[in-house]
Amino acid sequence: MTVSPSDKLAQAPRVLLLSAYDAASHRRWREQLVTLFPGCHWHTLALPARHFRWRIRGNPVSWLNDPCFREHWDLVITTSMVDLAALRGFHPQLADTPWLLYVHENQFAFPVSARQNASAEPQVVNLYSAIAADRVVFNSAWNRESFLDGAWQFLDRMPDGVPDGLIDGLRAKSEVIPVPIEDYLYLDRECPPDWSCPHLLWNHRWEYDKGPERLLNLLQVLESREQPFRLSVVGESFRKHPPAFDRIREQFSHRIRHWGFLERRADYDRLLAEADIVLSTALHDFQGLSMLEAMASGCVALAPDRLAYREYVPAANRYPSHEQDAALEADAAADRLQDLLQRRPAASCPEEWRASALAGRYRRLFSALTDIPPSRF
């Protein structure tokens, strides 16, 4: 269907949004876009977050006969789990439509657990999608740099046939726009933190890359130092989870205030407003939504000096990173926590990550890609 310039100006921008592995952060981001830009006509295709290897490679086949690909769109937005290059090739009628790739996490920096077999195929999907996209957006600077560095190292191992300037070209068409934090989470607290017996919040996905063993080590150090604390361990959990969680629940039952996934969002938001210090022990975190939303709600942050945390956690609130020595890192984290309790710093509010602040950046990006005035979005 051909759309004339006058018709294009008259109708709402039509945006096709594709999420091939619709995990919680991906779903939250795409739902936010729809909410932030109600003037657009949105159509979303999303596949469940399971069967990872099939999802990341097979999504063009799963969607092959979907009638939406025969319609006109002003913009196609995909997550990094989408095989954008294959989809764009399968649907040549959308060849002139701008395609935007949003990278929540990149497969060059994503850790492989002991239960998984390493495979280059997810990395190839990420790389080809970035090459085929008109614009590539990352949720953090660390995500972008680890992607570009990883892609360069990957291509450097190839025997021949790699064109000069490929990585420079990817960098030139990329930028960083985070997943927004909803405005309602930003709170001005009336009560100061309990510095004598702080309520510690660990609110991450219950998987190995979030460092549950390191959390256990830290708690054991605090207990050995007779440091009072209360503890909430929440976040998305699965049927199988690292055994460190069971040990934490058993050893620190006398400290625990909340345990496990909170089904109601209102209960989780209430916990964010009650906790004093939000902490991370993660080995991988491409943006750190759970840290940002807790900081917006008034928690003081404590995180390792690595990953995307360097972009928003104050340097004085980051403990030295010792990825190869968990015991040394646990002592460093305990030292920094006790330093915070002595210094009593004010919470650092991540204002630049507020949804209302980021909406303009997304709007300008959409306008530049589509030649539709920003006011139309």
Side-chain angles (χ1 to χ4, degrees):
M1 179 176 65
T2 302
V3 180
S4 69
S6 59
D7 288 339
K8 192 174 183 179
L9 289 172
Q11 65 186 21
R14 292 173 53 82
V15 185
L16 178 60
L17 180 55
L18 306 176
S19 179
Y21 193 83
D22 206 39
S25 61
H26 298 212
R27 183 172 61 254
R28 177 176 176 178
W29 168 79
R30 65 172 176 79
E31 289 175 347
Q32 280 186 310
L33 287 187
V34 174
T35 300
L36 283 173
F37 302 103
C40 295
H41 172 82
W42 294 93
H43 184 79
T44 301
L45 296 181
L47 296 172
R50 57 176 183 262
H51 312 308
F52 172 78
R53 292 287 170 83
W54 166 240
R55 284 286 180 266
I56 197 169
R57 203 66 182 96
N59 57 83
V61 176
S62 298
W63 290 327
L64 184 62
N65 296 319
D66 195 288
C68 75
F69 289 100
R70 295 191 292 273
E71 299 180 28
H72 160 77
W73 301 101
D74 295 303
L75 176 64
V76 181
I77 303 176
T78 81
T79 68
S80 50
M81 299 300 185
V82 172
D83 190 342
L84 186 155
L87 270 173
R88 204 166 191 178
F90 287 173
H91 302 284
Q93 64 273 25
L94 295 178
D96 294 331
T97 302
W99 290 63
L100 166 65
L101 178 71
Y102 192 86
V103 184
H104 291 85
E105 65 266 342
N106 76 78
Q107 296 303 310
F108 294 103
F110 205 86
V112 177
S113 75
R115 302 187 304 274
Q116 294 175 316
N117 295 319
S119 170
E121 195 152 14
Q123 298 175 343
V124 170
V125 170
N126 272 187
L127 177 60
Y128 285 12
S129 293
I131 293 171
D134 296 289
R135 194 71 179 165
V136 185
V137 178
F138 294 85
N139 61 356
S140 71
W142 183 81
N143 190 7
R144 178 172 65 177
E145 294 310 309
S146 63
F147 174 90
L148 295 172
D149 289 346
W152 183 88
Q153 293 172 25
F154 177 83
L155 293 171
D156 194 49
R157 296 196 300 270
M158 299 301 103
D160 57 26
V162 177
D164 292 336
L166 177 57
I167 301 302
D168 289 338
L170 292 177
R171 182 181 295 278
K173 68 174 181 179
S174 72
E175 63 182 295
V176 175
I177 307 180
V179 175
I181 304 301
E182 294 88 343
D183 283 25
Y184 81 88
L185 286 172
Y186 285 75
L187 301 175
D188 292 324
R189 293 197 184 187
E190 296 181 0
C191 298
D194 183 346
W195 299 110
S196 60
C197 183
H199 181 179
L200 308 180
L201 172 63
W202 192 95
N203 58 337
H204 307 273
R205 190 177 65 248
W206 286 28
E207 292 191 293
Y208 62 95
D209 61 305
K210 300 306 179 186
E213 294 82 5
R214 291 170 185 254
L215 173 63
L216 173 62
N217 293 343
L218 169 58
L219 298 176
Q220 290 171 336
V221 171
L222 294 176
E223 194 83 350
S224 70
R225 296 184 184 184
E226 299 183 346
Q227 171 62 56
F229 65 90
R230 294 162 291 147
L231 176 67
S232 290
V233 177
V234 299
E236 186 180 10
S237 57
F238 307 91
R239 184 170 55 87
K240 292 183 179 180
H241 55 253
F245 288 105
D246 297 325
R247 293 184 61 190
I248 292 170
R249 190 173 193 180
E250 178 182 350
Q251 292 184 26
F252 299 97
S253 58
H254 59 297
R255 302 284 193 187
I256 293 173
R257 292 285 303 275
H258 297 276
W259 184 264
F261 184 72
L262 294 172
E263 294 286 348
R264 296 179 65 248
R265 178 72 203 202
D267 293 335
Y268 176 65
D269 293 342
R270 190 176 303 111
L271 177 59
L272 295 180
E274 292 173 355
D276 298 314
I277 296 175
V278 60
L279 62 93
S280 173
T281 52
L283 294 166
H284 282 83
D285 208 347
F286 289 95
Q287 177 175 336
L289 276 175
S290 60
M291 291 291 288
L292 283 160
E293 60 191 8
M295 291 172 67
S297 297
C299 289
V300 173
L302 175 66
D305 187 22
R306 56 177 175 252
L307 310 172
Y309 303 135
R310 292 174 173 171
E311 297 170 42
Y312 54 84
V313 175
N317 293 44
R318 302 195 302 262
Y319 56 86
S321 173
H322 299 285
E323 293 191 44
Q324 305 306 317
D325 192 332
L328 183 60
E329 184 164 284
D331 278 319
D335 289 343
R336 186 53 49 92
L337 173 61
Q338 292 186 311
D339 174 63
L340 291 177
L341 300 180
Q342 290 293 321
R343 289 193 294 108
R344 303 186 176 190
S348 179
C349 188
E351 285 291 339
E352 294 180 14
W353 282 257
R354 188 189 286 265
S356 57
L358 288 171
R361 295 180 61 188
Y362 278 102
R363 182 177 290 110
R364 289 189 292 273
L365 171 65
F366 297 165
S367 176
L369 282 167
T370 62
D371 291 328
I372 296 174
S375 59
R376 295 280 310 287
F377 287 95

